[in-house]
Amino acid sequence: MTREQFISHVEGTQKAFRRFLVALCVGDSQLADDIAQEAYIKAYLSCDSFNSPDKFNAWIFRIGYNTFIDHRRSVRLFAGYDEAGNITSSDATDASFRYQALYAALDSLPPKERTSVLLFYMEGYSIKEIAEIVEASQDAVKQHLSRGRNHLRGLLSNE
Amino acid sequence: MDEDKIKDLFQNFQPELSSDTLFLAGLKKHMEAVELVKRHAAAARRRNRIAVAVAALSGFVTGVIFTLLMQLLGDRAASIEFSLPSIPAFSFDRQIIAWTIMAALSVTMAINAYEITLSRLSAKKTI
């Protein structure tokens, strides 16, 4: 993949990818942008060995998810798990706070469940594709979705 | 019903993102930095390969020269041995001493050749 081809793929995917990452980072758009940049750079570094341009979308989402997990691990390492878990929408840079309730609900989900829910409902991925992205079995993804749905039902009933 | 509500919730999710232009400009800047590092790493690998080749050649040439001079070195060692009093330390096989000296000199030559080549290539690149 040439540099130009890579940039054209980035231009085609960046909006949806960043939207997904903002939700994954429960509204912290600055962190989401940093993770997006890091994920694209990781993809660029290994794009010579990537031969399926039609799967670029799923590939970049997988890198993004792994980068997010790495970031969480490093935060946990330096700040402790409790502090990392307390990143709520009140820390978010999303100025409007329109999605406060949604972010709060997403924040209560573990990363794999959160990712599965977002990929399924927001990006429209199939269970098989989600299983490949989060590196889990299809049954596990179904469980994540079911649990995620229950959490979100709670949110909807409170609204 | 709930399923539709959840779908709507995410379909209507439009968070405020930073400018696309700024994001892409930042990414292109990072890509250029990565390319620069890649170019430097490739150049360093090339310099290292040349230095290793020169070192191997120097070591080989030194080894050949000393092998050819082995006879002469052997004679010198014999004359030293005869001029010294009979000390057990000098009762080693002359061949072993000569080969050890030759190996040490070849290795030293190869290491020096590697360092000199690498520093000359780096200096040339800096200029």
Side-chain angles (χ1 to χ4, degrees), chain B residues 38-112:
Chain B
K38 269 178 153 178
R39 277 201 298 274
H40 275 275
R45 271 200 303 275
R46 200 174 48 245
R47 283 200 300 274
N48 197 49
R49 271 202 299 272
I50 294 170
V52 166
V54 171
L57 190 68
S58 308
F60 177 73
V61 170
T62 311
V64 168
I65 291 169
F66 277 97
T67 306
L68 294 173
L69 292 174
M70 185 65 94
Q71 187 58 46
L72 178 67
L73 286 172
D75 292 345
R76 288 287 165 117
S79 64
I80 292 167
E81 193 183 338
F82 287 128
S83 64
L84 287 169
S86 179
I87 303 167
F90 284 89
S91 62
F92 289 126
D93 188 346
R94 288 200 310 272
Q95 288 280 346
I96 293 173
I97 296 171
W99 278 110
T100 308
I101 292 169
M102 189 193 80
L105 282 169
S106 299
V107 169
T108 310
M109 194 66 102
I111 291 170
N112 284 334

Side-chain angles (χ1 to χ4, degrees), chain A:
Chain A
M1 193 185 287
T2 63
R3 187 180 195 272
E4 284 65 35
Q5 284 171 326
F6 182 80
I7 289 174
S8 103
H9 278 298
V10 171
E11 283 169 348
T13 56
Q14 58 94 14
K15 204 136 205 166
F17 185 50
R18 286 163 69 204
R19 197 169 75 115
F20 161 75
L21 285 173
V22 169
L24 198 61
C25 298
V26 287
D28 191 341
S29 54
Q30 186 58 55
L31 175 62
D33 270 6
D34 289 347
I35 291 175
Q37 293 267 354
E38 197 179 329
Y40 278 127
I41 290 299
K42 281 179 183 171
Y44 184 59
L45 280 169
S46 51
C47 71
D48 292 337
S49 57
F50 182 70
N51 299 317
S52 317
D54 50 320
K55 288 186 176 171
F56 185 86
N57 243 23
W59 184 52
I60 198 66
F61 274 86
R62 184 164 66 227
I63 297 175
Y65 167 72
N66 287 332
T67 308
F68 170 75
I69 295 293
D70 288 346
H71 171 79
R72 265 184 76 99
R73 274 198 203 116
S74 65
V75 168
R76 203 180 299 170
L77 193 68
F78 291 108
Y81 178 78
D82 293 337
E83 209 174 310
N86 285 338
I87 299 169
T88 61
S89 46
S90 60
D91 299 314
T93 52
D94 187 2
S96 66
F97 291 104
R98 274 179 296 165
Y99 304 110
Q100 191 95 348
L102 177 63
Y103 292 149
L106 288 172
D107 194 30
S108 68
L109 299 176
K112 267 196 180 170
E113 278 180 31
R114 197 188 305 172
T115 309
S116 301
V117 166
L118 291 173
L119 289 173
F120 188 78
Y121 288 109
M122 209 160 84
E123 302 303 326
Y125 279 103
S126 68
I127 288 172
K128 191 179 170 221
E129 287 170 319
I130 297 170
E132 280 170 18
I133 291 172
V134 300
E135 288 166 344
S137 67
Q138 292 190 36
D139 287 338
V141 172
K142 280 177 194 164
Q143 265 188 1
H144 295 158
L145 284 173
S146 165
R147 266 187 250 143
R149 237 178 253 133
N150 288 338
H151 269 94
L152 291 171
R153 269 193 201 114
L155 159 78
L156 290 170
S157 61
N158 290 339
E159 266 187 346

